[in-house]
Amino acid sequence: MTAVAQVQALLFDVFGTVVDWRGSIIAELTRFGAKKEIAADWAAFTDDWRGLYQPAMEEVRSGRRPWTILDALHRESLDKLIAKHAIAGLTEAEKGHINRAWHRLEPWPDVVEGLTRLKSRYIIGTLSNGNVGLLTRLAKHAGLPWDVILGAETARAYKPLPQAYLASASLLNLEPAQVMLVAAHNGDLAAASAVGLRAGFVARPQEYGPHQSKDLKAERTWDVVCASFGELADAMGC
Amino acid sequence: MTAVAQVQALLFDVFGTVVDWRGSIIAELTRFGAKKEIAADWAAFTDDWRGLYQPAMEEVRSGRRPWTILDALHRESLDKLIAKHAIAGLTEAEKGHINRAWHRLEPWPDVVEGLTRLKSRYIIGTLSNGNVGLLTRLAKHAGLPWDVILGAETARAYKPLPQAYLASASLLNLEPAQVMLVAAHNGDLAAASAVGLRAGFVARPQEYGPHQSKDLKAERTWDVVCASFGELADAMGC
């Protein structure tokens, strides 16, 4: 039996792999700014917001702060950036609405059809640093046909800590080798692979916009390497 | 705003409310017995199996044993009943297969259409004592279109402990009053209601077979009382 033939569940990184967070957030902020007549560099604002993502999670991963869900980390980062970019006059309700833009991201065009094919043969779910409430609403917004919502919150550990991957397999009654992580990020796949999961790379060379410098291609011979969820479904025999 | 108008998520008890566990298990054991030429009173065997359900969970709820998932409790009960009913000659693989009959239960006839209607307007998910792996496979088997799989394992507490309900609401970023538990069991609804959830009763007078003596009707004026998931969808404006 090949390594991939043992796989019973495909769990997906979400931000960047499934959804175009950057394009979606820029578009939503741009619309919001136009309506509110607030001028700002919304692309820079978005990149700054994502720039605070890893440092915020690292505070939790390191144990320096107790478990905190991503929605709360996003909100703290947003408050910092509203100050940094000198954006005035936002109500609490408006700040909450902007923060929930992460619940309304758009999928890459190949995603829904590819997931629907994969769902016919495998358990498909999330393995994301997003919290359950975020991922559940995002799935409804984007029409993502997940069987199960798993990730950092159900594991109580942010990727790339081993527990994030191992707890997700365990929650499905599966051994690590029976689960494939699908991600557009070599580092995420390396961490999953190190604890025994299978690894599927899907290239998303536009995730960080026109000047993306990393994760342009697979940096190892992962179990599957492809350019879309359609190719992934082909490779997995769906 | 009425109480029900605040509801954003409907979370469902599963065994008995969504699926006909008794009819499904009896049918599967009967087929298995015929194929293996094992004579037994499979209806009594099934009722005995369910009879060990609450005592097994109570060991965990009481703190006398550490957290243990329902698949493992089911398996321990199965081993006791194989001895009690003097059933000989089963392999480990066969015992595992029988235990996973709880992953292959059939829904009541009104369920899939009703859930599909409710899903268009609400987050729909489980709030079950079943573990995530069980509930995920059951959903695929029965075609249940859940948005999210929640319950005892994600809360680390078996119903009717308050934490089972409160953690499920919290995982969805919702207040208890924004979540309705839907169940065919007055006791489950009483526990959910006591910690602030809304309560929807769906009568399943055949759950325990032809001689059912409890939960034949709503024992309080729950927020919604109905006889099918179609009526529930009507009541919830879907």
Side-chain angles (χ1 to χ4, degrees), chain A residues 122-144:
Chain A
Y122 299 95
I123 293 169
I124 61 167
T126 59
L127 206 173
S128 166
N129 282 333
N131 46 295
V132 172
L134 180 159
L135 294 168
T136 301
R137 289 173 179 82
L138 176 55
K140 288 185 89 74
H141 172 81
L144 309 174

Side-chain angles (χ1 to χ4, degrees), chain A residues 8 69 71 103 118-124 131-134 136-137 139-140 146-150 153-154 170-174, chain B residues 8 69 71 103 118-124 131-134 136-137 139-140 146-150 153-154 170-174:
Chain A
Q8 293 188 31
I69 64 172
D71 274 333
H103 300 194
L118 289 160
K119 185 180 170 101
S120 68
R121 181 162 173 175
Y122 299 95
I123 293 169
I124 61 167
N131 46 295
V132 172
L134 180 159
T136 301
R137 289 173 179 82
K140 288 185 89 74
W146 304 126
D147 292 311
V148 64
I149 303 290
L150 299 173
E153 193 177 16
T154 49
S170 175
L171 280 161
L172 292 174
N173 304 6
L174 294 175
Chain B
Q8 293 188 29
I69 64 171
D71 274 333
H103 299 194
L118 289 161
K119 185 180 169 101
S120 67
R121 181 161 173 174
Y122 299 95
I123 295 171
I124 60 167
N131 46 295
V132 173
L134 180 161
T136 302
R137 289 172 179 84
K140 288 185 88 75
W146 304 127
D147 293 311
V148 64
I149 303 288
L150 299 173
E153 193 175 16
T154 49
S170 175
L171 280 161
L172 292 174
N173 305 6
L174 293 175

